[in-house]
Amino acid sequence: MSFTAPVIEWAGLTPVLIILGAGVVGVLVEAFVPRSVRPAVQALLSLLAILASAVALAGRWSVVVAAGSGRELTTGIAEDPFGVAAQGILLAIGLLAVLVMADRTTADDGAFAAQAADRPGSAEEEESIHAGWVATEMFPLTLFSLGGMMLFPLANGMITLFVALELVSLPLYIMAAMARHRRLLSQEAALKYFVLGAFSSAFLLMGAAFLYGVSDSVAYSDIAAAIGGGGVAGMDWLALAGVALVTIGLLFKTAAAPFHAWSPDVYQGAPTPVTGFMAAGVKATAFLALVRFYYVLGGTLGWDLAPFLWTVAILTMAVGTVVGVIQKDVKRMFAYSAIAHAGYMLIGIIAWNGVGVSALLLYALTYGIATVGAFGIIGLVRTSHDGAPGAEANDLEAFTGLGRRSPWLAGAMTVFLLSFAGIPLTAGFMAKFEVFIAGIAGGATWLVIVAIVSSVATAFFYMRLIVLMFFREPDGDRVVVVGSMGPAALTIGLAAAATVLIGVLPQAVVRSLADAAMLLP
């Protein structure tokens, strides 16, 4: 019996290996480092790993641009400028998310339970809090999930796509249950996310099985050749069903309607830093993985798949807009906002042109940065119990008068809200503009018109929050704004600055992302 050793280009995998290796080291830190210094060690390890990965990734960019085309690092993993740019975007999101997770507020607390294994409200939990214990498991879990996110857009085969999907999702199922306050709601959110995540995996696996039956291969290129070369005579329906099922599996992760049911409850119940990481990172990586799948494979079906994607895009924009308007909880409002944004991003998929690829890269970057910053602010607005800060105050009324309580937080939130609304001179405007231009070039003009109407309507609930912050008096002593000990404040400042800078001077970013899109195989 002979064995053929796999050929692996380890240099191309270095950025991902640094992140995953740091995650393994983080597990060892949990086992051997004293609890008192563990939070600082884990946070520093995570930040250094992300920065080291970014340095390695910068080296890979010059290599792939010089090569002029993509190549396989190993079976099922492709490296090209699109993949490197996608990894850079995800590292930026991961860096900001880790900074928010590492924050200790002036109330001397964080967003995570002292010890996740304690039953909510139990004597064990009281003892853990009294002892001053701080959960640190989320740092290696975040690194493992981030490593999966970086692999997801590189996946060039169905097996790699599935493994990366699980690597992204499994740590988040655990992290969603680790909230310091409202633990039962947090655990319910984690269970819902797990159950519907299993549905996502099932759809993807069934679609992969159909596509394997069509082509006798799991590689995107082979499947595309089998579909486009007429080698599936009498089985066109099987190819169409396979592509549709895999697309549905990915659309679950993007929270596109009608596959969005998990999103509002999970956003509301998960610890706020995890919600920010999930909302920004998972949506970005799922769409970027969908780009490679659709542009290499799914697009070969042409207009056969178009009615399905058009229907999903319109329904997603409608649900996100209409239901978002009536929300009273700020985290649920942002969940439906994210659903509407998924509809806009689908235009870049439907367009099936180079402008659509670069537009989705820009959208993933700008939306991700603003989202992490916005959830960083949400975590600092707390209920007040006799002047002492308690759980997060997530109802919209809690933000009444925030401009008087903390002008800089209200100002930063305004920047993020204007970016979500697509107001000019913000990064969100440039992202929407590029996606809409791609849609028009790809023959989806009517879909762009629907998106513009939806975008105008969603501006209502963003402006409502701005009015509450600046044009209403503070609501007594019901709410207190706690200060950040540094990391969250740094994240909010960096995210706001980047949102304005990309909006005012977008040329360099847009040009770089256009170069990445040109060389997608």
Side-chain angles (χ1 to χ4, degrees), residues 167-184:
L167 185 55
V168 170
S169 302
L170 291 175
L172 289 172
Y173 298 151
I174 301 169
M175 294 166 68
M178 294 176 64
R180 182 181 184 90
H181 302 284
R182 303 190 180 104
R183 294 282 305 288
L184 292 178

Side-chain angles (χ1 to χ4, degrees), residues 218-246:
V218 294
Y220 286 1
S221 56
D222 293 340
I223 298 171
I227 296 173
V232 290
M235 290 197 295
D236 293 348
W237 64 270
L238 191 63
L240 182 61
V243 171
L245 287 171
V246 173

Side-chain angles (χ1 to χ4, degrees), residues 301-312:
L301 293 173
W303 286 101
D304 291 335
L305 201 61
F308 167 69
L309 291 177
W310 276 62
T311 302
V312 171

Side-chain angles (χ1 to χ4, degrees), residues 196 255 259-268 331 334-336 338-339:
L196 290 176
F259 317 111
H260 67 286
W262 62 273
S263 176
D265 291 340
V266 175
Y267 277 39
Q268 183 182 25
K331 291 174 77 173
F334 278 125
Y336 283 102
I339 292 168

Side-chain angles (χ1 to χ4, degrees), residues 347-364:
I347 296 174
I349 300 294
I350 293 169
W352 206 42
N353 54 39
V355 180
V357 177
S358 61
L360 283 173
L361 287 167
L362 180 62
Y363 212 119

